[in-house]
Amino acid sequence: MNIKCIIIDDEPFAIKIIESHLASFKNIELLGSFSNPIEAIELIEQGQVDVMFLDINMPEMSGLDFLKNSRHEYQVIITTAYREYAVESFELDVLDYLVKPIPFNRFLKTMNKLNQTINQNQSKNGEYVGNKEPFIFLKVDKKLVKILLNDILYIESLKDYIKVITAQGNYLVHKSLTGITEELPSSNFMRVHRSYTIAIDKIKSVEGNLVEIDSKKIPIGRNYVKHVKETIFNSNKDLHM
């Protein structure tokens, strides 16, 4: 099932940038682009919009005024040249706040957050999501690669890069370990060392300050020991300890 979105922005160039970014995601369907919220109301009221990319300063009605006067079940991503509205925007339950010009790497982080949020909401509501499993997009060799979260074993930091180890293969990504860890659900992944983030359900055993995943023994950093062991001991996983 595709994620249906609209863009509301009074700057044609800004719309083109977002449209260009969206074109990289095969699971996104752009329903339309509009110069102000009033033009988009008819489409919004049809209830087909999953996510809205919304500018703030626009003629007729500002993006924030529109949100304050509407009850929205769709996700909202603010796209603006102004940083000072971030707190007010998040108080209106927006999913993310992007400052123009929007670099693709930052946009990618938002899209991964969007995919996870929609998947979680559909699961909570008991909606059918097909045979899709939770996933994340990673930029590998100038292309986006879709990786199922369940396939990830662990992630290793390599200075300015990370190596994502999966059941199907390994991927080298220009990204920080902190950045990727923040994008992954904390219920399934945890950081165990300054150089490693692991999939909790892929742990085979724990011995001292080492966790074993797929024959790889990964160290638990001194600052992470308490949290890691509490997480493991409180889980319902059958670990060979």
Side-chain angles (χ1 to χ4, degrees):
M1 183 180 68
N2 286 343
I3 296 175
K4 299 178 180 179
C5 72
I6 61 173
I7 301 170
I8 303 179
D9 198 312
D10 66 327
E11 300 177 36
F13 181 71
I15 289 177
K16 287 183 179 179
I17 291 295
I18 297 173
E19 288 178 344
S20 176
H21 287 347
L22 289 173
S24 298
F25 301 89
K26 295 182 180 180
N27 66 322
I28 296 295
E29 179 181 351
L30 179 60
L31 300 179
S33 298
F34 307 89
S35 61
N36 64 69
I38 297 175
E39 292 181 357
I41 286 178
E42 182 177 350
L43 181 58
I44 294 170
E45 289 181 345
Q46 294 176 7
Q48 298 181 13
V49 177
D50 297 314
V51 59
M52 174 190 298
F53 293 88
L54 181 65
D55 188 20
I56 291 181
N57 290 338
M58 293 179 288
E60 305 292 339
M61 178 181 288
S62 76
L64 293 184
D65 285 341
F66 173 73
L67 289 182
K68 292 174 183 176
N69 292 281
S70 65
R71 297 180 61 183
H72 56 279
E73 296 182 358
Y74 45 83
Q75 300 295 326
V76 178
I77 298 170
I78 295 294
T79 59
T80 178
Y82 303 92
R83 297 179 182 273
E84 58 264 32
Y85 299 108
V87 173
E88 185 177 0
S89 296
F90 282 113
E91 288 177 348
L92 294 171
D93 295 325
V94 303
L95 179 72
D96 211 344
Y97 191 94
L98 299 177
V99 179
K100 303 173 184 176
I102 306 169
F104 184 78
N105 284 344
R106 180 63 181 86
F107 192 84
L108 176 57
K109 181 177 180 179
T110 296
M111 295 305 293
N112 284 330
K113 184 176 182 180
L114 172 65
N115 282 314
Q116 292 184 31
T117 299
I118 288 181
N119 186 278
Q120 290 170 0
N121 289 344
Q122 289 175 331
S123 297
K124 288 178 182 177
N125 295 332
E127 297 178 14
Y128 175 70
V129 293
N131 59 359
K132 290 188 176 181
E133 298 179 57
F135 60 88
I136 190 171
F137 282 111
L138 294 177
K139 193 172 183 180
V140 182
D141 293 332
K142 298 182 179 181
K143 67 178 180 180
L144 289 182
V145 177
K146 178 180 175 181
I147 298 177
L148 299 180
L149 297 189
N150 191 51
D151 286 344
I152 298 175
L153 302 176
Y154 62 91
I155 304 168
E156 181 180 1
S157 175
L158 300 172
K159 292 187 177 180
D160 295 330
Y161 290 81
I162 56 171
K163 182 187 290 186
V164 182
I165 312 299
T166 77
Q168 277 66 46
N170 304 334
Y171 302 90
L172 191 63
V173 182
H174 187 243
K175 198 179 190 73
S176 70
L177 187 62
T178 298
I180 187 67
T181 303
E182 289 176 349
E183 294 180 39
L184 297 170
S186 58
S187 57
N188 303 96
F189 296 87
M190 67 175 170
R191 191 158 180 176
V192 299
H193 189 275
R194 65 180 182 179
S195 299
Y196 291 96
T197 289
I198 67 171
I200 299 172
D201 66 343
K202 300 301 190 299
I203 299 173
K204 286 185 177 181
S205 65
V206 180
E207 182 179 359
N209 286 344
L210 295 172
V211 292
E212 183 181 4
I213 296 180
D214 193 38
S215 75
K216 169 76 172 181
K217 292 188 177 181
I218 298 171
I220 303 173
R222 182 182 304 174
N223 295 332
Y224 300 87
V225 170
K226 182 177 180 181
H227 173 68
V228 170
K229 292 194 173 181
E230 284 179 353
T231 300
I232 292 173
F233 294 151
N234 291 331
S235 71
N236 294 320
K237 311 299 180 183
D238 293 324
L239 301 179
H240 304 294
M241 302 178 62

